[in-house]
Amino acid sequence: MLVLLLFIMVLPFAEKAFATNTVIQVNEEATVFDNRSGSLVQVGTLSAGQTFEVTKDYGANWWQIRWGGYYGYVEKRYTTVVSAKNYKNTVPAVAKIKDYIVPTSVAPIYDNTGNKLVQFATLSEGVRFPIYNRMGNWYGIAVNGRLGYVHSNFVVEEKGQDTTNTNTNTNTNTTKPPVEKPTTTPHPPSKQNGYIEAVENVILYDFRREKAMAIATLMKGQQLEIVDSMDPTYVQVRWGKSYIYAEKSKVKIINTPSYKNVGKDNAMKNEYFIPISANSEIYDKATKALQPFAKLDTNRRYPILRKEGDWYVTVLGGREGYIHRSKIAIDRGVPVMMYHHLLKEHELGRFKNVSTTMTDVQFAKEMTYLKSKNYETISADELLRFMRNEITLPAYSIALTFDDGLLSTREYAYPVLKNNGFKATQFLITYRNENSNDGQIFNYNDLQALSRQDMTNMQDVFTYGSHTYNLHDLVGNKGKMLLIPYHEVVQDLQRSIAIIPKAKAFAYPFGQYNANIINAVKEVGFTMAFTTKVGYNNPYDDVYQIKRLSSNQQTTFEQFQKMVLPYAH
C-alpha cells in the first residue's frame, strides 16, 4: 500500500515523455490501474504474452497506456520492452464517444485476427468503456489503439452524450461499419448456453500453464454445464474458480441435462484432495445406483465442496461428484525444499553435523527418488501463480531452493539436477558473488561464493533470487537486516537487484523478518519471499511468507520420502 500511495503522490512530477512506438510485452498477467480518484482503482488486466504500446514512461515503476477515454497505469515489473508488437488489429483511438459498455462481471477482451480467439486483456466489473463498433453479439472497443471484442453476455450497453476524447487523434470516422474480413478468418462466434454431452470419452483440459494439463475425463454420454463456447475448437466449463475445456468435436450441445445433482463451483473452499487410487471415478448420487460420470487424474488436486460421511464432494462443470474417502488423500500443499552447502563425506570436516550442510550422496539419492516418482520441479514463478490461484499444479510438484549462492552447488548440485532434468532457485548474497573470481578452484575447507560466470554457466538449471546484497550477518542472535534503518534495507535490496535484475524472489536471511522487512521487500519489487518456517504452501497463502522444508545430514531417507509427499502419509 505504501508503494501505491507513493506512486499517487509523485505521479504529476514523475511524468516524462517516452519515445513513440515503445512496445512492452506482459510477462505475467498485469493489473491496469486508474488514478484519477486520488487512489489506484483496478480497471482491467493485460494478459501474459501480449504486447502493447505505451504512451509515457513514469520513472522506475510505471507505464502509462490509453484506457478508454483516459489513461491506465501498469507496473513495469510485469513487463519487458520489446522491439515490435505481436498483433495486427491496430485502430485509431476514438475521437467521439457516444455509447458505452459496462461489464457486469470481469469481461474478457479478444483478438479475432487469427484462426481462433485470443484473449489479450480484461475489463473490470463496473468500468465504463467506450464502444468503437458493433459486430453481431460483440462490441468492438479500442484498447490502447488495439481493436478488441467483448461479448454482450458480459456487459450492458449504456447510452451517453457525445464526449470529446482528449486522449485521441482527430479521426472521427467511427460509425463506419468494419470492413468485412475474409472468410478464412472467422468472426467471433456467438455464445451458446446450455450443456455438453460427451459423444465419446473426452478429456477436460486446463490451459493456464504453458503445457496443457489433463484434469479429468468426461465419460461417454455424460453431461456438464457450458460456461462459454466462443472458441471454435473448445467448449468452456467451470472448474472450481477457474475453467477447463473440452474439444467441440467430441461433444454435442444440448439444452436440458438428465442429471439433477447441480453444484455451485464458486462455493468451493480452499481445501483439496488428491486421488490415490487408479479407481478415481466421481459418482452421481442423485439416483439409487451410483453412476460414475467422470474419471479424475491421480496427479491433480481437486477442490472440496463438502464431506458427507465417507464421501467427499467436488464439482465439475456445475455437477456434483462424489468420491469415497478410501480413494483420496487430503492435499497439504506444495513442498519447497531448502538446501545450502553440499560436500563429499570425507570433505565434511568442520561441517560435520552442521544443519546447513549435507553430503553429495544424500542429495543425489533424494533427487533420484523425486525423478523415480515423476515429481515436477516447478519454478518460483509457477509457485507464485499457484499461490495466487492463477494456475493449478500437478500433485507431485516440488520447488527446490538453495540459500547463500555457494560454489559447492556448482560442484555437487548442478550436475545432478541437470542429469535429472530438474530446475531450482538460488538465493544469492550478491556482494559475495560480485566479488568472486571467475574460474575459481573449489576448496572444500572454505565457504566460497559463485562468480558471475558460474551463474551464467548454470542458468539452464538455476534461476536466481536475492538473499540481500550484504546483510547476511548476525549481531548476536539477530539478523543485521532487522537492526538497521528501513531506508538502508531498501538501498541494500536495490543494489542486489542491480546485479540480478530479473530476480523476483527473495529469501529472508536466517529466516528472520518483520512487517518492515516485508514492506521493504515489496517496495523494491520482489513479488514473493521465502522463510524458514516449516510447512507446505497452498492457494491464497501469503506469498511473502512462503514456507519451506529442509533436509540435512540427520534426515533419513524415509523421512525425506514422507516430507515431500503432497499429502500426509
Side-chain angles (χ1 to χ4, degrees), residues 105-396:
S105 62
V106 174
I109 308 170
Y110 293 96
D111 184 319
N112 76 325
T113 56
N115 293 325
K116 61 181 290 185
L117 295 178
V118 175
Q119 181 178 328
F120 68 88
T122 69
L123 287 178
S124 295
E125 181 178 351
V127 174
R128 297 172 79 241
F129 208 95
I131 299 169
Y132 180 78
N133 63 26
R134 295 174 176 80
M135 186 185 290
N137 292 320
W138 293 79
Y139 292 99
I141 59 175
V143 181
N144 196 43
R146 180 177 183 180
L147 181 61
Y149 286 92
V150 178
H151 197 271
S152 58
N153 285 327
F154 292 101
V155 300
V156 293
E157 185 173 341
E158 183 177 293
K159 300 293 182 182
Q161 296 179 346
D162 288 7
T163 304
T164 299
N165 181 356
T166 58
N167 178 25
T168 67
N169 60 25
T170 58
N171 187 323
T172 60
N173 187 18
T174 61
T175 58
K176 181 180 179 180
V179 177
E180 191 69 18
K181 296 164 59 62
T183 56
T184 54
T185 305
H187 296 310
S190 61
K191 178 180 176 181
Q192 298 181 34
N193 295 311
Y195 300 82
I196 54 169
E197 181 174 304
V199 297
E200 59 182 275
N201 287 352
V202 57
I203 297 175
L204 303 172
Y205 292 101
D206 182 347
F207 290 129
R208 291 175 297 168
R209 296 181 77 199
E210 290 183 5
K211 183 179 179 181
M213 292 177 60
I215 299 300
T217 300
L218 181 64
M219 296 177 178
K220 182 179 179 180
Q222 297 298 317
Q223 302 154 355
L224 297 176
E225 183 181 359
I226 292 174
V227 173
D228 222 317
S229 59
M230 292 183 290
D231 188 278
T233 308
Y234 293 95
V235 175
Q236 183 188 63
V237 300
R238 187 177 293 281
W239 181 47
K241 295 183 179 180
S242 59
Y243 303 100
I244 50 181
Y245 299 83
E247 291 182 68
K248 276 188 173 177
S249 62
K250 298 180 179 179
V251 301
K252 62 181 179 180
I253 309 297
I254 59 174
N255 294 322
T256 306
S258 59
Y259 66 86
K260 298 179 180 179
N261 56 335
V262 176
K264 294 183 179 180
D265 302 76
N266 286 326
M268 294 294 186
K269 302 173 184 177
N270 191 33
E271 299 173 356
Y272 305 83
F273 68 76
I274 299 170
I276 57 173
S277 169
N279 180 17
S280 58
E281 289 84 5
I282 51 174
Y283 293 88
D284 188 322
K285 285 188 68 178
T287 59
K288 293 182 179 179
L290 290 178
Q291 174 67 46
F293 68 88
K295 184 177 177 66
L296 305 183
D297 192 295
T298 54
N299 193 20
R300 301 287 181 263
R301 299 172 164 85
Y302 297 91
I304 297 171
L305 182 62
R306 63 181 182 276
K307 187 173 183 288
E308 292 185 6
D310 289 334
W311 294 84
Y312 283 86
V313 186
T314 190
V315 177
L316 195 68
R319 185 175 181 181
E320 289 187 353
Y322 288 72
I323 187 168
H324 196 269
R325 66 178 179 85
S326 62
K327 307 297 182 184
I328 63 101
I330 301 301
D331 172 46
R332 58 184 178 184
V334 173
V336 178
M337 292 302 301
M338 175 177 61
Y339 297 102
H340 291 76
H341 193 33
L342 304 176
L343 292 172
K344 291 184 177 297
E345 182 70 36
H346 73 273
E347 296 173 340
L348 286 171
R350 65 190 176 99
F351 299 104
K352 183 74 173 177
N353 296 323
V354 173
S355 63
T356 53
T357 304
M358 71 186 311
T359 69
D360 63 327
V361 172
Q362 183 182 355
F363 178 75
K365 187 175 183 179
E366 292 181 354
M367 296 303 104
T368 300
Y369 173 77
L370 295 179
K371 184 71 172 180
S372 71
K373 296 299 182 181
N374 296 315
Y375 276 81
E376 180 177 340
T377 54
I378 60 169
S379 66
D381 180 65
E382 286 187 302
L383 177 65
L384 175 66
R385 295 177 66 199
F386 171 78
M387 294 178 68
R388 289 175 172 173
N389 202 38
E390 295 172 356
I391 60 171
T392 189
L393 289 172
Y396 289 85

Side-chain angles (χ1 to χ4, degrees), residues 516-551:
N516 274 341
I517 300 302
I518 293 176
N519 286 335
V521 168
K522 291 179 179 179
E523 181 173 333
V524 298
F526 292 109
T527 57
M528 61 197 307
F530 292 72
T531 72
T532 58
K533 290 182 178 179
V534 176
Y536 302 81
N537 301 283
N538 292 283
Y540 306 111
D541 285 354
D542 187 348
V543 296
Y544 289 95
Q545 299 188 67
I546 296 172
K547 298 177 282 291
R548 292 193 284 179
L549 309 167
S550 62
S551 180

